[in-house]
Amino acid sequence: MMRKKRKRGAPSGPCRHPGPGPATAPAPPPSPEPTRAAWTGMGLRAASPSCAAAAPASAAAAAGAEPRRRPRRRPGLGPPPLALLLLLLLSLGLLHAGDCQQPAQCRIQKCTTDFVSLTSHLNSAVDGFDSEFCKALRAYAGCTQRTSKACRGNLVYHSAVLGISDLMSQRNCSKDGPTSSTNPEVTHDPCNYHRGGGQNPPNYLFCGLFGDPHLRTFKDHFQTCKVEGAWPLIDNNYLSVQVTNVPVVPGSSATATNKITIIFKAHRECTDQKVYQAVTDDLPAAFVDGSTSGGDGDPKSLRIVERESGRSVEMHARYMGTTVFVRQLGRYLTLAIRMPEALAMAYEESQDLQLCVTGCPLGERIDDGQGQVSAILGPGLPRSPAAAAWPGYTLETASARCHEQMPVKDIYFQSCVFDLLTTGDANFTAAAHSALEDVEALHPRKERWHIFPSSARGAPRGRPLSSVSLGLTCLILVVFL
């Protein structure tokens, strides 16, 4: 039986096409340096010119020939087409990292910035704070809802959402209601000091007067003074405050305030001049002219709020960002004020006598020059002949009485003890406590609410009482000289 001859394949070489000879014709010898076809970038190799010419002739033979397996791509022939495209896009700056992973940007930082801008000027001691704060919270909540999809999985976003919920619960804010504008910078109100065009939040100062009397200046200096008669606390281009002090007990140089006069000076279109006056047992909730506000806008540029009839009055001047508290405790008055530094320091050279600015004159002070009036007093407290009519207080009983309302033994606690020992009037305990509450409500810096005498900074807390009693007893002697 004859064995059928196997058909030889097509000749190898760069140009492969069937010739006119028989199928068994021997293949030409291979080229010693075969030429590599050019890469087109699309997974195909370009034919050489000779191959292109032979393509029509080889098509017929290829139809009847056994299909051939495509040769593997040899390493080092070039990058794949998709990688080349990506490299091209990157080189042109058309593809940015992260665009494919997060099509929308999380804007929680913008929401938080807007909320801070809406609330940074608010004062918790001013009427309407809760309403404005709730408006800002609702605007904050709405902003977070609008960016919720883009912020999914963002820890800052979820923390903000929880914080908003907690704040709304604390302030009893309803979820439905008006919201604050998210662009507060475009709002201009010449009669609102916080929105009158200023770029940065103002720096506030605090001044207070209470008790025997004890003065806390704008620079947070604490002094105990005599200052009998009428003295100016503040006298600048916007506000004047004058107090009148009278002796507390016969034979003592200790005084206390029984009259306060406050003049809110006229300010362009915001308010006419308004005068407020309070005396012992007459703490009105109106200005001298009978009005309770100033200005035509709503809310008013200046207004009086009565907190406790005949006992506590507040004045809020929006046009100059100022708040004033006046109280009556026992037979005497106390005062606390918060005012922007730029306005408090706007005065002429002739207005240099201001207790809130410069403190009491040296000849009027009865402390040790460092604010320490009577932290701890010895048992041998001198009394005048009239002292027999006073309720008896020793150092221990006075300290215990003051400690009931003021657990922190700071300068307010010391002032309370001093006042009890020099006057015997228990109402001065309430005056010191209320003065500290006013500080907490109006003073802009929490770390400065409590003042401790500089002479006691390096002393241990458990030092014996007698260690400083001699010097402090001398202070009491000064009071009765």
Side-chain angles (χ1 to χ4, degrees), residues 204-208 216-221 233-234 236 337-339 344-345 354-358 443 448:
Y204 285 99
L205 301 177
F206 174 87
C207 181
R216 180 168 181 162
T217 71
F218 281 144
K219 297 179 180 179
D220 287 326
H221 295 164
L233 284 184
I234 297 172
N236 56 49
I337 182 168
R338 165 179 161 139
M339 190 174 192
M345 297 302 160
Q354 302 180 58
L355 301 189
C356 282
V357 176
T358 60
H443 198 290
R448 294 188 179 181

Side-chain angles (χ1 to χ4, degrees), residues 39-225:
W39 181 64
T40 65
M42 298 300 293
L44 300 176
R45 297 191 181 277
S48 63
S50 57
C51 293
S58 61
E66 181 182 350
R68 298 191 58 208
R69 183 177 302 172
R70 177 177 297 179
R72 279 188 185 176
R73 185 186 309 275
R74 294 172 58 188
L77 294 182
L82 180 59
L84 180 65
L85 181 60
L86 293 177
L87 288 173
L88 179 62
L89 290 175
L90 285 172
S91 65
L92 295 176
L94 300 177
L95 187 64
H96 299 280
D99 287 351
C100 297
Q101 296 179 357
Q102 189 170 329
Q105 183 179 5
C106 178
R107 300 177 60 83
I108 186 60
Q109 185 175 359
K110 177 67 165 58
C111 297
T112 303
T113 301
D114 288 344
F115 175 72
V116 172
S117 179
L118 290 168
T119 56
S120 60
H121 67 279
L122 298 180
N123 180 3
S124 60
V126 177
D127 270 357
F129 169 81
D130 288 335
S131 174
E132 292 298 321
F133 195 79
C134 287
K135 288 181 182 179
L137 276 176
R138 283 191 287 267
Y140 194 9
C143 184
T144 59
Q145 290 174 2
R146 289 189 293 272
T147 192
S148 59
K149 290 184 179 179
C151 295
R152 189 172 301 168
N154 187 306
L155 293 179
V156 176
Y157 166 79
H158 291 288
S159 297
V161 172
L162 291 175
I164 293 170
S165 178
D166 290 343
L167 286 173
M168 294 188 77
S169 298
Q170 294 173 14
R171 297 288 176 179
N172 294 322
C173 300
S174 61
K175 293 184 178 179
D176 299 324
T179 61
S180 300
S181 169
T182 56
N183 298 305
E185 64 277 3
V186 302
T187 305
H188 180 77
D189 183 357
C191 294
N192 185 339
Y193 184 77
H194 306 291
R195 296 188 179 181
Q199 298 297 321
N200 300 318
N203 181 38
Y204 285 99
L205 301 177
F206 174 87
C207 181
L209 185 76
F210 70 98
D212 206 3
H214 307 289
L215 172 70
R216 180 168 181 162
T217 71
F218 281 144
K219 297 179 180 179
D220 287 326
H221 295 164
F222 199 94
Q223 301 169 355
T224 299
C225 312

Side-chain angles (χ1 to χ4, degrees), residues 262 274-277 284 286-291 304:
I262 304 173
K274 294 289 182 179
V275 179
Y276 179 83
Q277 191 170 86
F287 295 107
V288 171
D289 62 5
S291 64
I304 294 181

